[in-house]
Amino acid sequence: MTLPFETAELPTGILAQLSRLVGRVLAPNPSAFTYTGTETYLIGTTELAVIDPGPDIPEHLEALERAIGGRPVKAILCTHTHRDHSPAARPLAEATGGRIIGCAPLTLMDDGPRADAAFDADYRPDRVLTDGEQISGEGWTLEALATPGHTSNHLCFALLEENALFTGDHIMGWSTTVVSPPDGDMADYMRSMQRLVERDDAVYYPAHGDQVDNPQRLARGMMGHRKHREGQIVRHLREPGGAAIPDMVKEMYKGVDPRLHPAAGRSVLAHLLDLKARGVVREQNGLWETVAA
């Protein structure tokens, strides 16, 4: 997370045509975590796909139906199942006849501390896409790209006809994403970022923030940012007595909206768990310290 949240005066509920095949409708759910709101994308001209239908808000569903304008909807795709992304899938499917296709339901197999309210427990896809699977409609082809890290079930979707990638929350246009254990995993996130660095996408369409016209540079920069954070953490832990996560957050995230500090602490924990798995750090009674070489 790199930017403070500021309410932006952007039009919600209006279809903005970004390219020949890509339209966008902004949902009215701005917050410190969603920025100006969730961006729902409409793909196609005659037969449509909808990516990240967003929250189940009546005004947003009405706006999507207006934007669709009676055109057939072949697929409603979700990048992941946080509640600002997938809850509108079912009512939109009922209104349009489109099938819910995309990420798998998130099944929590652990009993660790987490914010379950962030997940959409009612998400039930008609079809789950795996890495490399494609779905196509008139004039468009979307390919699933598995990008775990932010969540274990996160997918990006590549629009092959325009060399574009819909990045969900894996890469956002305004901030780095939260990686919150135990489902969020920093090692997975970095591997997923490397996959994107090695691609040749011309543009990213994130679920929050502006489109990204220099995608590889941004992806490399975000990887560098995470490595910088890791270095900060290790330096903190070299101090005698180790350090607790809240103290690290206060020092490392100076100038960041304090409302984001709890989420920042989850990303710091994700780094620590990755470092622990690599034998670099250890934890005792809530204090973390480096492991002597």
Side-chain angles (χ1 to χ4, degrees):
M1 293 163 296
T2 56
L3 299 177
F5 167 68
E6 296 178 0
T7 300
E9 295 297 327
L10 292 179
T12 60
I14 297 174
L15 177 63
Q17 198 66 37
L18 306 182
S19 74
R20 186 180 69 85
L21 291 176
V22 179
R24 180 183 64 199
V25 178
L26 177 65
N29 64 327
S31 76
F33 294 97
T34 61
Y35 193 43
T36 56
T38 303
E39 292 167 347
T40 299
Y41 292 96
L42 275 59
I43 314 304
T45 56
T46 54
E47 182 181 47
L48 304 181
V50 178
I51 296 178
D52 278 341
D56 186 0
I57 298 174
E59 310 94 274
H60 184 53
L61 285 162
E62 291 168 6
L64 291 178
E65 290 186 50
R66 286 196 304 271
I68 290 166
R71 290 174 288 179
V73 174
K74 183 163 185 179
I76 299 168
L77 301 107
C78 298
T79 59
H80 64 298
T81 49
H82 278 157
R83 293 186 62 81
D84 57 317
H85 287 257
S86 60
R90 183 56 57 190
L92 187 63
E94 292 171 354
T96 65
R99 298 179 68 219
I100 301 172
I101 298 172
C103 69
L106 180 57
T107 302
L108 304 179
M109 300 302 292
D110 61 79
D111 59 358
R114 61 185 308 119
D116 286 332
F119 293 92
D120 176 12
D122 297 325
Y123 172 76
R124 297 290 184 274
D126 299 304
R127 175 185 168 193
V128 172
L129 291 180
T130 58
D131 187 52
E133 279 196 274
Q134 296 182 355
I135 182 169
S136 59
E138 188 172 340
W140 54 264
T141 308
L142 291 167
E143 181 176 304
L145 179 69
T147 48
H150 174 63
T151 60
S152 59
N153 64 344
H154 196 286
L155 295 176
C156 294
F157 297 106
L159 177 59
L160 303 188
E161 286 77 8
E162 295 192 353
N163 197 26
L165 189 69
F166 297 87
T167 57
D169 280 4
H170 183 64
I171 287 186
M172 300 188 291
W174 75 287
S175 169
T176 54
T177 195
V178 174
V179 179
S180 180
D183 184 63
D185 186 283
M186 189 60 68
D188 283 347
Y189 170 84
M190 293 297 280
R191 283 190 289 268
S192 296
M193 289 297 299
Q194 185 61 39
R195 289 194 72 184
L196 267 57
V197 166
E198 293 171 359
R199 292 172 57 86
D200 64 348
D201 303 295
V203 60
Y204 290 163
Y205 293 115
H208 307 283
D210 293 333
Q211 73 181 57
V212 178
D213 295 319
N214 53 352
Q216 281 75 33
R217 186 172 73 180
L218 179 62
R220 287 193 298 269
M222 285 187 168
M223 289 188 73
H225 170 74
R226 295 291 186 176
K227 291 175 181 177
H228 174 71
R229 287 293 191 208
E230 179 182 293
Q232 284 183 301
I233 290 168
V234 172
R235 287 192 292 275
H236 274 286
L237 300 187
R238 285 176 180 153
E239 297 296 324
I245 289 175
D247 296 329
M248 285 188 273
V249 169
K250 288 178 184 177
E251 183 66 26
M252 292 164 55
Y253 290 85
K254 288 179 179 178
V256 172
D257 188 332
R259 289 174 293 176
L260 298 177
H261 282 191
R266 302 305 295 171
S267 285
V268 170
L269 176 59
H271 276 294
L272 288 167
L273 293 175
D274 181 31
L275 288 164
K276 182 180 178 181
R278 289 151 49 193
V280 179
V281 304
R282 63 189 173 196
E283 183 266 341
Q284 187 173 7
N285 299 323
L287 292 177
W288 292 83
E289 62 183 3
T290 54
V291 175

